Amino acid sequence: MADIIQLLPDHVANQIAAGEVVQRPASVVKELLENAIDAGADVIKLIIKDAGKTLVQVIDNGKGMSHTDARMSFERHATSKIKRAEDLFQLSTKGFRGEALASIAAIAHVELKTKQELDDVGNAIVIEGSEVASQDIIVTPTGTSVSVKNLFFNIPARRNFLKSDNVELRHIIDEFHRVALAHPSIGFVLYNNGSESFNLPVSNYRQRIVNIFGNKTNEKLVPVNEDTEVLSISGFVGKPEFAKRTRGEQYFFVNNRFIKSPYLNHAITSAFEGLLKSGTHASYFLNLTVDPNTVDINIHPTKTEIKFDDEQTLYAILRSAVKHSLGQFNIAPVLDFDRDPNLDTPYSYKTNKTSAPKVEVDRSFNPFQEETKFKTNAVAYKKESPANWESLYVGLESKGNQNQEDFSSIQFETEEHSASIFDKDIQVEQSHTTYQLHNKYIVSAIKSGMLVIDQYRAHQRVLYEDYLKNLTVKEAASQQLLFPLELHFSTQDIEVIKQLKGDLEHIGFVFEIMSEEALGITGVPVGVPESEVSIILEQLVSDVQNEVPDSNFSASDLMAKSLAKSMAIKTGTALKKEEQEHLVNTLFACKEPNVSPTNRATFITMSVDELDKKFI
């Protein structure tokens, strides 16, 4: 029998490796930025075109590569970071497996320009689909420039799986934020389609956070610092009152490497226990420094998940450090709940002597005297009693009789009593047609049995069709605010809101100003509370960034779904009888009453026969 096992060609092996390393343009951004950091650069530029599908270019001023190293960097498992297996547990750099450039070159057109500081000229290499097209000597600045063009040009199926430009750009910016936050001592610049989106100068950690997420972030941060033999913690957590409904601003860095850890995230959530509103998530930007021997960062292809030797100890230290910071800066409540801080003596009066109050009494006062004088600050009061007080009651009897005669001649107008179009018995029956169960379901009797409606999903369907109609007709009513509402968002979120501004105005929002970090709103849709506007826009931005408005979806449809989800009555809300009946009636007036906007059932029916079978 002939042999059937054979070695894969290099270009096929590289494409398979690329499937693990490069899932989307953001993966290329991550690998190239980490290579630039390992090269010792202090200024790194990232250039993006068409959300990375056309171009991803990273330019750094690091140490560069020689002619041979430039060529070897595209070979599989070619690395300068490790030489022995033991080196895997002493890593202090980003890339170490030598697969990034080889994998990227297998699925894109790559152009590399590099020069070392002591060399007069540099090298340029062009690779297309793992094949070297050219390698020349050129004049170029010190450092390295890597251009990745036409990603997945030779794998059309992978390219078709890429999301919309907005979604892919959001992933790129997320990776950019993670790398920039981990290295505040390096300057970063991001250009998107020719315009500068971020320019982050060298700064401290707090200023780097503010430069990325906006100036308003500064007042939201609480410093966290803890230094133990096992773990060193530094960074910031957000104040509970600024907690968001999305998990966007949550960053863990272990030895300057961004990681995802649900276990450590639970430690933060536990530290904030009792301080957060339901459904909100605290923000945190925490740097953890541990011994490299105690972690394994080679368990995941993208190196975003790592394994700790002693997770329980890290959990306890992290939770205690965050709770200590919240208490130290008076974020957490004090134990003396009955103490009123308004009764504390001001600092400026603490050294002053107090004197007992004095009360002056006029001991010569006689209330039975006809004429009495009260001496109060030289103001005299004279009491006079009329001598002919009996005359006050003269004629009262006659006046009373006269009034009685007048009342007898008065005629009262009565409203005509109109008979109800419904019978009294029917009205009583109708007032009991709905019943709310556990503040979650509305139960109603129907001819064949019983109807159970999920009030949250049902209200979503009603609002969704209303908003979709308003977006189409563009004639939604707006309620004007007495005072303009000023909201602050990050630069990235403001860009999303600017793209949606036209649709938001069609459903009732009125914008006064729109700067790089703030919004001025003077009008909101009818029925939207002013206190909910920030939450609604925040949820809308998150939905637009995370969901996929492909050819089957429109921006209007996505916006209507998001707004309906935010504005629908939540589970646990008690409804009056009139509100229950109105919700039922409006639901069955919808075009598709049986499903919510997310295609989940809004109600179920149970026939009398099904109920009878339950009692057999």
Side-chain angles (χ1 to χ4, degrees), residues 305-347:
E305 296 178 12
I306 65 178
K307 183 173 178 56
F308 299 94
D309 283 353
D310 190 0
E311 283 188 329
Q312 289 79 8
T313 302
L314 299 185
Y315 182 100
I317 295 174
L318 182 61
R319 180 176 178 272
S320 300
V322 174
K323 285 186 74 73
H324 175 70
S325 294
L326 293 175
Q328 183 180 7
F329 290 92
N330 293 326
I331 305 301
V334 295
L335 293 177
D336 188 5
F337 293 101
D338 297 329
R339 173 176 166 272
D340 188 356
N342 295 323
L343 301 179
D344 292 346
T345 304
Y347 287 106

Side-chain angles (χ1 to χ4, degrees), residues 226-452:
E226 190 68 38
D227 193 3
T228 66
E229 295 180 356
V230 180
L231 171 69
S232 294
I233 305 173
S234 65
F236 302 90
V237 294
K239 294 180 181 178
E241 60 264 32
F242 298 107
K244 295 188 174 184
R245 293 186 177 272
T246 57
R247 299 177 179 269
E249 298 178 1
Q250 295 184 341
Y251 295 90
F252 275 125
F253 301 97
V254 175
N255 298 345
N256 292 331
R257 183 191 301 276
F258 172 80
I259 67 158
K260 297 177 181 178
S261 175
Y263 186 69
L264 295 183
N265 179 73
H266 188 274
I268 304 294
T269 306
S270 177
F272 275 90
E273 186 176 3
L275 300 176
L276 297 176
K277 295 179 182 179
S278 177
T280 60
H281 307 279
S283 302
Y284 53 82
F285 312 87
L286 296 175
N287 295 299
L288 312 181
T289 304
V290 298
D291 186 352
N293 286 320
T294 62
V295 296
D296 184 2
I297 60 177
N298 196 32
I299 65 170
H300 194 273
T302 60
K303 298 173 291 229
T304 55
E305 296 178 12
I306 65 178
K307 183 173 178 56
F308 299 94
D309 283 353
D310 190 0
E311 283 188 329
Q312 289 79 8
T313 302
L314 299 185
Y315 182 100
I317 295 174
L318 182 61
R319 180 176 178 272
S320 300
V322 174
K323 285 186 74 73
H324 175 70
S325 294
L326 293 175
Q328 183 180 7
F329 290 92
N330 293 326
I331 305 301
V334 295
L335 293 177
D336 188 5
F337 293 101
D338 297 329
R339 173 176 166 272
D340 188 356
N342 295 323
L343 301 179
D344 292 346
T345 304
Y347 287 106
S348 58
Y349 290 95
K350 282 197 171 182
T351 57
N352 296 353
K353 295 182 179 180
T354 57
S355 58
K358 297 179 180 180
V359 180
E360 295 185 0
V361 180
D362 184 6
R363 299 187 181 277
S364 62
F365 170 69
N366 186 355
F368 299 101
Q369 290 181 352
E370 292 186 1
E371 204 171 282
T372 307
K373 294 183 179 179
F374 296 90
K375 298 178 181 179
T376 56
N377 297 331
V379 177
Y381 172 75
K382 184 177 181 180
K383 180 180 179 182
E384 295 183 358
S385 45
N388 55 348
W389 56 270
E390 294 90 348
S391 62
L392 295 174
Y393 299 94
V394 176
L396 277 181
E397 186 176 355
S398 61
K399 289 181 180 180
N401 295 333
Q402 183 180 358
N403 291 340
Q404 188 174 2
E405 293 175 1
D406 293 340
F407 279 118
S408 63
S409 63
I410 292 178
Q411 294 181 355
F412 295 94
E413 293 184 0
T414 58
E415 295 182 358
E416 293 184 5
H417 179 70
S418 58
S420 174
I421 60 175
F422 297 108
D423 210 13
K424 189 175 180 181
D425 294 337
I426 297 178
Q427 285 184 343
V428 173
E429 183 181 350
Q430 283 185 342
S431 64
H432 294 83
T433 53
T434 60
Y435 176 77
Q436 191 175 24
L437 181 65
H438 296 300
N439 290 340
K440 182 177 182 181
Y441 300 107
I442 297 175
V443 182
S444 178
I446 56 177
K447 187 175 182 180
S448 61
M450 183 175 63
L451 181 72
V452 183

Side-chain angles (χ1 to χ4, degrees), residues 13-14 17 72-82 96-103:
N14 286 337
M72 283 291 295
S73 64
F74 290 97
E75 297 294 333
R76 290 195 70 198
H77 308 306
T79 178
S80 62
K81 313 294 174 56
I82 57 176
F96 56 88
R97 294 178 300 181
E99 288 186 0
L101 287 179
S103 299

Side-chain angles (χ1 to χ4, degrees), residues 25 51 56 79 82-83 109 126 151 164 269 271 375 439 465 575 609:
V56 174
T79 178
I82 57 176
K83 297 181 179 178
H109 297 154
V126 177
L151 194 64
S164 66
T269 306
K375 298 178 181 179
N439 290 340
E465 294 198 3
L575 299 178
D609 293 338

